[in-house]
Amino acid sequence: MVVSTKAPSSRLVFGKGNFEHLTEKIRGSPEITSVFLNVERMAAPTKKELEAAWGVEVFDRFTIVLHIFRCNARTREARLQVALAEIPVLRSNLKNDLDGRRGGSRYIMGSGESFKQVQRRLLKEKEIKIRKALEKLRKKRHLLRKQRTRREFPVVSVVGYTNCGKTTLIKALTGDVAAQPRDQLFATLDVTTHAGTLPSSLTVLYVDTIGFLSQLPHDLIESFSATLEDVAHSDLIVHVRDVSHPETELQKASVLSALQGLGLPTPLLDSVVEVHNKVDLVPGYSPAEPNVLAVSALLGYGLEELRAELEEAVLRATGRRVLTLRVHLAGAQLSWLYKEATVQQVDVIPEDGAADVTVTISNAAYGKFRKLFPE
Protein backbone atom coordinates (compact mmCIF):
# COMPACT_ATOMS: atom_id res chain seq x y z
CA MET A 1 0.00 0.00 0.00
CA VAL A 2 1.16 3.52 -0.80
CA VAL A 3 -0.53 6.23 1.23
CA SER A 4 0.08 9.94 1.60
CA THR A 5 1.56 11.39 4.78
CA LYS A 6 1.09 14.67 6.57
CA ALA A 7 3.50 17.59 6.24
CA PRO A 8 6.93 16.99 7.86
CA SER A 9 6.18 19.64 10.50
CA SER A 10 3.04 17.84 11.62
CA ARG A 11 3.13 15.69 14.77
CA LEU A 12 0.82 13.18 13.07
CA VAL A 13 2.20 10.95 10.34
CA PHE A 14 -1.10 10.15 8.60
CA GLY A 15 -4.43 11.81 8.04
CA LYS A 16 -7.42 10.37 9.92
CA GLY A 17 -8.80 8.38 6.98
CA ASN A 18 -5.48 6.78 6.00
CA PHE A 19 -4.66 6.04 9.61
CA GLU A 20 -7.96 4.20 10.17
CA HIS A 21 -7.49 2.27 6.92
CA LEU A 22 -3.93 1.24 7.88
CA THR A 23 -4.99 0.27 11.37
CA GLU A 24 -7.73 -1.98 9.99
CA LYS A 25 -5.30 -3.68 7.57
CA ILE A 26 -2.51 -4.19 10.13
CA ARG A 27 -4.77 -5.33 12.95
CA GLY A 28 -6.55 -7.72 10.60
CA SER A 29 -3.39 -9.42 9.31
CA PRO A 30 -1.63 -11.84 11.69
CA GLU A 31 1.27 -12.11 9.20
CA ILE A 32 2.33 -8.51 9.95
CA THR A 33 4.76 -8.57 12.87
CA SER A 34 6.26 -5.08 12.50
CA VAL A 35 5.93 -1.93 10.43
CA PHE A 36 8.71 0.09 8.80
CA LEU A 37 8.05 3.73 7.93
CA ASN A 38 10.44 5.16 5.35
CA VAL A 39 11.14 8.32 7.33
CA GLU A 40 14.51 9.29 8.80
CA ARG A 41 13.28 9.43 12.38
CA MET A 42 9.99 9.42 14.28
CA ALA A 43 9.37 11.31 17.48
CA ALA A 44 9.11 8.94 20.44
CA PRO A 45 5.47 9.88 21.27
CA THR A 46 4.46 9.22 17.65
CA LYS A 47 6.17 5.84 17.70
CA LYS A 48 4.40 4.88 20.94
CA GLU A 49 1.01 6.00 19.63
CA LEU A 50 1.39 3.98 16.41
CA GLU A 51 2.57 0.86 18.27
CA ALA A 52 -0.35 1.14 20.68
CA ALA A 53 -2.83 1.49 17.82
CA TRP A 54 -1.37 -1.25 15.62
CA GLY A 55 -0.16 -3.72 18.24
CA VAL A 56 3.23 -4.26 16.54
CA GLU A 57 6.66 -2.64 16.70
CA VAL A 58 7.19 0.38 14.44
CA PHE A 59 10.60 1.31 13.04
CA ASP A 60 12.12 4.24 11.15
CA ARG A 61 15.33 4.36 9.09
CA PHE A 62 17.50 5.59 11.95
CA THR A 63 16.35 2.82 14.32
CA ILE A 64 16.91 0.09 11.73
CA VAL A 65 20.37 1.23 10.61
CA LEU A 66 21.53 1.99 14.15
CA HIS A 67 20.47 -1.53 15.18
CA ILE A 68 22.47 -3.04 12.30
CA PHE A 69 25.48 -0.92 13.27
CA ARG A 70 25.16 -1.95 16.92
CA CYS A 71 25.10 -5.64 15.98
CA ASN A 72 28.25 -5.27 13.88
CA ALA A 73 30.33 -3.03 16.16
CA ARG A 74 33.20 -5.37 16.98
CA THR A 75 36.01 -2.93 17.78
CA ARG A 76 36.30 -0.15 20.35
CA GLU A 77 36.14 2.57 17.69
CA ALA A 78 33.00 1.12 16.12
CA ARG A 79 31.32 0.83 19.53
CA LEU A 80 32.24 4.43 20.34
CA GLN A 81 30.78 5.61 17.04
CA VAL A 82 27.55 3.71 17.71
CA ALA A 83 27.41 5.17 21.24
CA LEU A 84 27.83 8.68 19.81
CA ALA A 85 25.02 8.06 17.32
CA GLU A 86 22.77 6.91 20.19
CA ILE A 87 23.16 10.17 22.14
CA PRO A 88 20.39 12.06 20.26
CA VAL A 89 18.06 9.09 20.86
CA LEU A 90 18.83 9.07 24.57
CA ARG A 91 18.37 12.82 24.75
CA SER A 92 15.01 12.60 22.99
CA ASN A 93 13.85 9.73 25.21
CA LEU A 94 14.95 11.66 28.30
CA LYS A 95 12.96 14.70 27.26
CA ASN A 96 9.83 12.64 26.65
CA ASP A 97 10.21 10.74 29.93
CA LEU A 98 10.69 13.93 31.91
CA ASP A 99 7.81 15.68 30.17
CA GLY A 100 5.54 12.92 31.43
CA ARG A 101 7.03 12.79 34.92
CA ARG A 102 5.55 14.83 37.75
CA GLY A 103 7.75 16.51 40.28
CA GLY A 104 10.62 16.82 37.83
CA SER A 105 11.77 20.06 39.41
CA ARG A 106 12.44 18.53 42.86
CA TYR A 107 16.04 18.74 43.98
CA ILE A 108 18.06 15.60 44.65
CA MET A 109 19.70 15.05 48.02
CA GLY A 110 20.62 18.68 48.48
CA SER A 111 22.78 18.73 45.37
CA GLY A 112 21.14 21.90 44.06
CA GLU A 113 20.18 20.07 40.84
CA SER A 114 16.82 18.78 39.78
CA PHE A 115 16.44 15.24 38.49
CA LYS A 116 16.08 16.70 35.00
CA GLN A 117 19.32 18.67 35.30
CA VAL A 118 21.25 15.68 36.66
CA GLN A 119 20.12 13.45 33.80
CA ARG A 120 21.01 16.05 31.20
CA ARG A 121 24.40 16.69 32.76
CA LEU A 122 25.25 12.97 32.88
CA LEU A 123 24.23 12.59 29.24
CA LYS A 124 26.35 15.60 28.25
CA GLU A 125 29.35 14.22 30.17
CA LYS A 126 28.91 10.89 28.41
CA GLU A 127 28.88 12.60 25.01
CA ILE A 128 32.02 14.60 25.84
CA LYS A 129 33.82 11.44 26.98
CA ILE A 130 32.91 9.59 23.77
CA ARG A 131 34.00 12.50 21.56
CA LYS A 132 37.34 12.76 23.39
CA ALA A 133 37.96 9.03 22.93
CA LEU A 134 37.10 9.26 19.22
CA GLU A 135 39.34 12.30 18.82
CA LYS A 136 42.21 10.34 20.36
CA LEU A 137 41.64 7.55 17.85
CA ARG A 138 41.39 10.10 15.05
CA LYS A 139 44.80 11.54 16.00
CA LYS A 140 46.25 8.02 16.07
CA ARG A 141 44.90 7.38 12.56
CA HIS A 142 46.35 10.71 11.42
CA LEU A 143 49.75 9.65 12.74
CA LEU A 144 49.51 6.35 10.88
CA ARG A 145 48.67 8.23 7.67
CA LYS A 146 51.75 10.41 8.11
CA GLN A 147 53.90 7.31 8.54
CA ARG A 148 52.46 5.83 5.33
CA THR A 149 53.20 9.09 3.53
CA ARG A 150 56.80 9.13 4.72
CA ARG A 151 57.29 5.56 3.55
CA GLU A 152 55.54 6.47 0.28
CA PHE A 153 53.10 3.57 0.30
CA PRO A 154 50.30 4.31 -2.18
CA VAL A 155 46.87 4.04 -0.56
CA VAL A 156 43.85 2.62 -2.42
CA SER A 157 40.47 3.14 -0.72
CA VAL A 158 37.90 0.49 -1.62
CA VAL A 159 34.36 1.82 -1.37
CA GLY A 160 30.92 0.56 -2.33
CA TYR A 161 27.35 -0.04 -1.28
CA THR A 162 27.03 -2.27 1.75
CA ASN A 163 27.51 -5.99 1.03
CA CYS A 164 28.93 -5.40 -2.47
CA GLY A 165 31.98 -7.59 -1.78
CA LYS A 166 34.69 -5.05 -0.87
CA THR A 167 36.34 -7.20 1.80
CA THR A 168 36.22 -10.31 -0.42
CA LEU A 169 37.92 -8.38 -3.21
CA ILE A 170 40.63 -7.02 -0.91
CA LYS A 171 41.30 -10.53 0.42
CA ALA A 172 41.56 -11.82 -3.15
CA LEU A 173 44.01 -9.05 -4.12
CA THR A 174 46.20 -9.32 -1.02
CA GLY A 175 45.80 -12.84 0.36
CA ASP A 176 45.53 -11.22 3.80
CA VAL A 177 43.82 -13.69 6.15
CA ALA A 178 42.94 -10.78 8.46
CA ALA A 179 40.31 -9.73 5.92
CA GLN A 180 37.22 -11.70 6.92
CA PRO A 181 34.32 -11.26 4.47
CA ARG A 182 30.77 -11.84 5.71
CA ASP A 183 27.62 -11.97 3.60
CA GLN A 184 25.68 -9.35 5.53
CA LEU A 185 24.95 -5.64 5.67
CA PHE A 186 27.62 -3.46 7.28
CA ALA A 187 30.01 -6.29 8.06
CA THR A 188 32.73 -3.60 7.98
CA LEU A 189 32.21 -0.71 10.41
CA ASP A 190 35.91 0.12 10.84
CA VAL A 191 38.73 1.12 8.58
CA THR A 192 41.10 -1.81 8.10
CA THR A 193 44.27 -1.68 6.02
CA HIS A 194 45.74 -4.58 4.05
CA ALA A 195 49.05 -4.63 2.14
CA GLY A 196 49.25 -6.07 -1.34
CA THR A 197 51.58 -5.98 -4.34
CA LEU A 198 50.98 -4.89 -7.92
CA PRO A 199 52.51 -6.62 -10.98
CA SER A 200 55.58 -4.35 -10.72
CA SER A 201 56.12 -5.55 -7.11
CA LEU A 202 55.04 -2.13 -5.85
CA THR A 203 53.48 -2.41 -2.38
CA VAL A 204 50.11 -0.71 -1.97
CA LEU A 205 47.79 -0.41 1.01
CA TYR A 206 44.13 -1.29 0.43
CA VAL A 207 41.77 0.46 2.85
CA ASP A 208 38.50 -1.37 3.54
CA THR A 209 35.81 1.20 4.36
CA ILE A 210 32.32 1.18 5.82
CA GLY A 211 29.61 0.28 3.31
CA PHE A 212 27.43 3.05 1.94
CA LEU A 213 23.65 3.15 2.13
CA SER A 214 21.10 5.31 0.35
CA GLN A 215 19.68 8.09 2.54
CA LEU A 216 21.89 7.22 5.50
CA PRO A 217 20.47 9.15 8.49
CA HIS A 218 22.36 12.39 9.12
CA ASP A 219 23.27 11.60 12.74
CA LEU A 220 24.93 8.36 11.64
CA ILE A 221 26.91 10.10 8.90
CA GLU A 222 28.25 12.55 11.51
CA SER A 223 29.12 9.78 13.97
CA PHE A 224 31.03 7.77 11.37
CA SER A 225 32.71 10.72 9.64
CA ALA A 226 36.10 9.78 11.13
CA THR A 227 35.87 6.40 9.44
CA LEU A 228 35.47 8.06 6.06
CA GLU A 229 38.39 10.48 6.50
CA ASP A 230 40.78 7.87 5.13
CA VAL A 231 39.05 8.04 1.75
CA ALA A 232 40.02 11.70 1.41
CA HIS A 233 43.67 10.87 2.11
CA SER A 234 43.97 8.03 -0.40
CA ASP A 235 45.75 8.12 -3.75
CA LEU A 236 43.07 6.16 -5.59
CA ILE A 237 39.44 5.10 -5.03
CA VAL A 238 38.08 1.77 -6.22
CA HIS A 239 34.29 1.69 -6.43
CA VAL A 240 33.01 -1.89 -6.13
CA ARG A 241 29.52 -2.66 -7.40
CA ASP A 242 27.42 -5.78 -6.94
CA VAL A 243 26.08 -6.22 -10.47
CA SER A 244 23.90 -9.13 -9.38
CA HIS A 245 21.79 -6.80 -7.23
CA PRO A 246 18.51 -5.68 -8.86
CA GLU A 247 19.10 -2.08 -7.76
CA THR A 248 22.78 -1.85 -8.70
CA GLU A 249 22.29 1.44 -10.62
CA LEU A 250 20.55 3.09 -7.66
CA GLN A 251 23.32 1.83 -5.39
CA LYS A 252 25.93 3.35 -7.70
CA ALA A 253 24.15 6.71 -7.59
CA SER A 254 24.03 6.56 -3.77
CA VAL A 255 27.77 5.84 -3.49
CA LEU A 256 28.77 8.59 -5.94
CA SER A 257 26.50 11.05 -4.14
CA ALA A 258 28.08 10.14 -0.80
CA LEU A 259 31.60 10.52 -2.22
CA GLN A 260 30.77 13.95 -3.61
CA GLY A 261 29.34 14.91 -0.22
CA LEU A 262 32.71 14.21 1.42
CA GLY A 263 34.26 17.15 -0.41
CA LEU A 264 36.99 15.03 -2.00
CA PRO A 265 39.59 16.59 -4.33
CA THR A 266 38.41 16.70 -7.94
CA PRO A 267 41.39 14.71 -9.32
CA LEU A 268 40.63 11.91 -6.84
CA LEU A 269 36.95 11.79 -7.83
CA ASP A 270 37.80 11.89 -11.54
CA SER A 271 40.17 8.92 -11.27
CA VAL A 272 37.76 6.48 -9.56
CA VAL A 273 38.18 2.92 -10.86
CA GLU A 274 34.81 1.18 -11.18
CA VAL A 275 34.77 -2.59 -10.60
CA HIS A 276 31.74 -4.78 -11.31
CA ASN A 277 31.81 -7.64 -8.83
CA LYS A 278 29.84 -10.90 -8.50
CA VAL A 279 29.68 -11.44 -12.27
CA ASP A 280 29.62 -15.18 -11.55
CA LEU A 281 26.01 -14.66 -10.45
CA VAL A 282 25.06 -13.06 -13.80
CA PRO A 283 25.63 -15.55 -16.67
CA GLY A 284 27.07 -13.95 -19.81
CA TYR A 285 27.58 -10.60 -18.09
CA SER A 286 29.44 -7.89 -20.01
CA PRO A 287 29.74 -4.28 -18.76
CA ALA A 288 27.77 -1.77 -20.79
CA GLU A 289 29.98 1.12 -19.64
CA PRO A 290 33.49 1.71 -21.00
CA ASN A 291 36.57 1.55 -18.75
CA VAL A 292 34.91 -0.84 -16.29
CA LEU A 293 36.43 -4.08 -15.04
CA ALA A 294 34.24 -7.14 -14.48
CA VAL A 295 35.42 -9.51 -11.74
CA SER A 296 34.36 -12.26 -9.42
CA ALA A 297 36.30 -11.68 -6.23
CA LEU A 298 35.02 -15.00 -4.88
CA LEU A 299 36.15 -17.10 -7.87
CA GLY A 300 39.18 -14.99 -8.88
CA TYR A 301 37.85 -14.06 -12.32
CA GLY A 302 39.32 -10.85 -13.82
CA LEU A 303 41.75 -10.16 -10.96
CA GLU A 304 44.91 -10.04 -13.10
CA GLU A 305 43.31 -7.46 -15.40
CA LEU A 306 42.26 -5.50 -12.33
CA ARG A 307 45.78 -5.55 -10.87
CA ALA A 308 47.19 -4.24 -14.15
CA GLU A 309 44.62 -1.44 -14.27
CA LEU A 310 45.26 -0.54 -10.63
CA GLU A 311 48.98 -0.34 -11.30
CA GLU A 312 48.49 2.13 -14.16
CA ALA A 313 46.09 4.22 -12.08
CA VAL A 314 48.36 4.23 -9.00
CA LEU A 315 51.41 5.24 -11.07
CA ARG A 316 49.46 8.14 -12.59
CA ALA A 317 48.02 9.25 -9.26
CA THR A 318 51.30 9.15 -7.34
CA GLY A 319 53.65 10.47 -10.03
CA ARG A 320 55.64 7.23 -10.15
CA ARG A 321 57.48 5.93 -13.18
CA VAL A 322 58.90 2.61 -14.31
CA LEU A 323 62.53 3.20 -15.33
CA THR A 324 65.54 1.08 -16.21
CA LEU A 325 68.69 2.56 -14.67
CA ARG A 326 72.33 1.57 -15.28
CA VAL A 327 74.07 1.30 -11.89
CA HIS A 328 77.62 0.43 -10.78
CA LEU A 329 77.70 -2.73 -8.66
CA ALA A 330 80.71 -1.52 -6.68
CA GLY A 331 78.90 1.50 -5.31
CA ALA A 332 75.86 2.13 -3.15
CA GLN A 333 73.45 2.76 -6.00
CA LEU A 334 71.78 -0.66 -6.02
CA SER A 335 71.29 -0.84 -2.25
CA TRP A 336 69.88 2.71 -2.30
CA LEU A 337 67.33 1.74 -4.96
CA TYR A 338 66.25 -1.31 -2.96
CA LYS A 339 65.64 0.99 -0.02
CA GLU A 340 63.98 3.99 -1.72
CA ALA A 341 62.23 2.45 -4.75
CA THR A 342 60.62 -0.82 -5.83
CA VAL A 343 63.09 -2.98 -7.70
CA GLN A 344 61.41 -5.15 -10.32
CA GLN A 345 64.35 -6.73 -12.10
CA VAL A 346 68.17 -6.70 -12.06
CA ASP A 347 70.12 -7.68 -15.19
CA VAL A 348 73.80 -7.97 -14.29
CA ILE A 349 76.45 -7.03 -16.89
CA PRO A 350 79.60 -8.72 -15.47
CA GLU A 351 82.07 -7.33 -18.01
CA ASP A 352 81.09 -3.77 -17.09
CA GLY A 353 80.72 -4.34 -13.36
CA ALA A 354 77.25 -2.86 -13.70
CA ALA A 355 73.59 -3.81 -13.90
CA ASP A 356 70.45 -2.59 -15.60
CA VAL A 357 67.89 -2.20 -12.84
CA THR A 358 64.18 -1.81 -13.61
CA VAL A 359 62.46 0.11 -10.82
CA THR A 360 59.18 1.76 -9.94
CA ILE A 361 60.21 5.09 -8.49
CA SER A 362 58.57 8.35 -7.47
CA ASN A 363 59.65 11.62 -9.02
CA ALA A 364 60.98 12.79 -5.66
CA ALA A 365 63.07 9.64 -5.16
CA TYR A 366 64.39 9.80 -8.72
CA GLY A 367 65.48 13.39 -8.12
CA LYS A 368 67.36 12.29 -4.98
CA PHE A 369 68.99 9.43 -6.88
CA ARG A 370 70.31 11.75 -9.57
CA LYS A 371 71.57 14.20 -6.95
CA LEU A 372 73.38 11.50 -4.96
CA PHE A 373 74.73 9.61 -7.97
CA PRO A 374 75.31 12.07 -10.83
CA GLU A 375 76.37 10.52 -14.11
Side-chain angles (χ1 to χ4, degrees):
M1 292 170 55
V2 178
V3 299
S4 60
T5 59
K6 303 281 280 186
S9 58
S10 174
R11 186 180 68 84
L12 301 175
V13 179
F14 306 103
K16 182 179 179 181
N18 281 332
F19 179 70
E20 290 176 351
H21 185 47
L22 279 170
T23 301
E24 180 183 349
K25 289 286 186 181
I26 295 170
R27 283 285 190 181
S29 177
E31 291 84 8
I32 297 179
T33 58
S34 61
V35 174
F36 167 69
L37 297 182
N38 193 16
V39 295
E40 180 157 319
R41 185 184 296 184
M42 283 181 291
T46 303
K47 174 181 169 67
K48 290 180 180 178
E49 288 176 10
L50 292 177
E51 288 179 339
W54 294 342
V56 295
E57 284 192 275
V58 180
F59 300 97
D60 55 20
R61 292 185 63 79
F62 183 88
T63 306
I64 292 287
V65 179
L66 183 59
H67 176 70
I68 295 172
F69 280 15
R70 192 185 296 114
C71 291
N72 289 280
R74 292 176 175 81
T75 67
R76 180 169 180 261
E77 182 170 15
R79 289 192 291 270
L80 284 169
Q81 291 173 125
V82 169
L84 182 60
E86 288 176 327
I87 291 292
V89 180
L90 296 174
R91 188 173 285 122
S92 176
N93 291 342
L94 175 62
K95 180 181 183 302
N96 292 318
D97 288 344
L98 291 176
D99 286 345
R101 185 193 298 267
R102 293 187 177 182
S105 62
R106 295 169 62 186
Y107 291 93
I108 298 177
M109 298 179 65
S111 66
E113 291 182 293
S114 68
F115 178 81
K116 188 175 185 179
Q117 290 170 329
V118 170
Q119 294 296 92
R120 285 178 173 170
R121 175 173 57 79
L122 292 176
L123 195 56
K124 184 64 177 177
E125 289 174 356
K126 180 179 180 179
E127 181 180 4
I128 292 172
K129 185 177 179 180
I130 293 171
R131 289 189 181 277
K132 283 183 177 178
L134 282 171
E135 181 61 28
K136 188 176 181 180
L137 290 171
R138 184 183 279 112
K139 288 179 179 178
K140 180 180 179 181
R141 184 180 288 130
H142 178 68
L143 180 61
L144 290 173
R145 280 200 298 263
K146 288 180 67 175
Q147 291 173 347
R148 292 176 199 161
T149 303
R150 281 200 298 269
R151 299 182 70 177
E152 294 193 330
F153 287 140
V155 176
V156 178
S157 285
V158 183
V159 305
Y161 206 86
T162 182
N163 206 32
C164 67
K166 299 185 303 299
T167 305
T168 302
L169 180 62
I170 290 174
K171 185 172 184 177
L173 290 172
T174 65
D176 190 347
V177 295
Q180 294 296 329
R182 290 186 298 276
D183 184 16
Q184 63 187 60
L185 299 177
F186 298 107
T188 302
L189 280 184
D190 307 277
V191 168
T192 56
T193 306
H194 310 267
T197 56
L198 297 177
S200 64
S201 300
L202 177 66
T203 298
V204 295
L205 300 178
Y206 294 97
V207 177
D208 195 0
T209 63
I210 183 175
F212 289 93
L213 179 73
S214 63
Q215 302 174 46
L216 186 66
H218 177 75
D219 288 328
L220 291 176
I221 294 175
E222 180 185 2
S223 300
F224 284 81
S225 60
T227 303
L228 297 173
E229 282 181 3
D230 285 83
V231 178
H233 292 88
S234 58
D235 298 297
L236 182 70
I237 295 175
V238 173
H239 175 198
V240 183
R241 290 177 56 189
D242 174 4
V243 293
S244 71
H245 197 284
E247 295 185 342
T248 181
E249 291 296 334
L250 290 175
Q251 291 182 351
K252 174 182 178 178
S254 295
V255 172
L256 294 181
S257 175
L259 288 176
Q260 291 166 357
L262 293 175
L264 302 176
T266 300
L268 185 59
L269 281 174
D270 291 343
S271 62
V272 172
V273 175
E274 185 172 319
V275 177
H276 290 186
N277 190 27
K278 304 188 184 182
V279 297
D280 53 298
L281 301 179
V282 188
Y285 180 80
S286 179
E289 305 95 325
N291 305 317
V292 169
L293 292 103
V295 307
S296 168
L298 190 63
L299 301 182
Y301 172 80
L303 293 186
E304 290 309 311
E305 293 84 352
L306 176 57
R307 286 190 178 95
E309 175 63 27
L310 290 178
E311 178 162 281
E312 288 186 21
V314 166
L315 292 179
R316 285 195 303 269
T318 61
R320 283 174 166 79
R321 293 184 281 172
V322 177
L323 300 174
T324 299
L325 305 172
R326 177 70 59 93
V327 303
H328 300 292
L329 295 175
Q333 291 174 307
L334 185 57
S335 60
W336 190 93
L337 287 173
Y338 268 108
K339 181 180 178 182
E340 302 294 336
T342 300
V343 176
Q344 296 184 32
Q345 185 175 338
V346 178
D347 295 318
V348 178
I349 309 171
E351 61 271 21
D352 293 339
D356 286 335
V357 183
T358 302
V359 296
T360 303
I361 190 169
S362 67
N363 290 331
Y366 182 61
K368 291 179 185 177
F369 178 81
R370 283 301 173 210
K371 186 176 181 180
L372 289 170
F373 310 105
E375 295 180 344

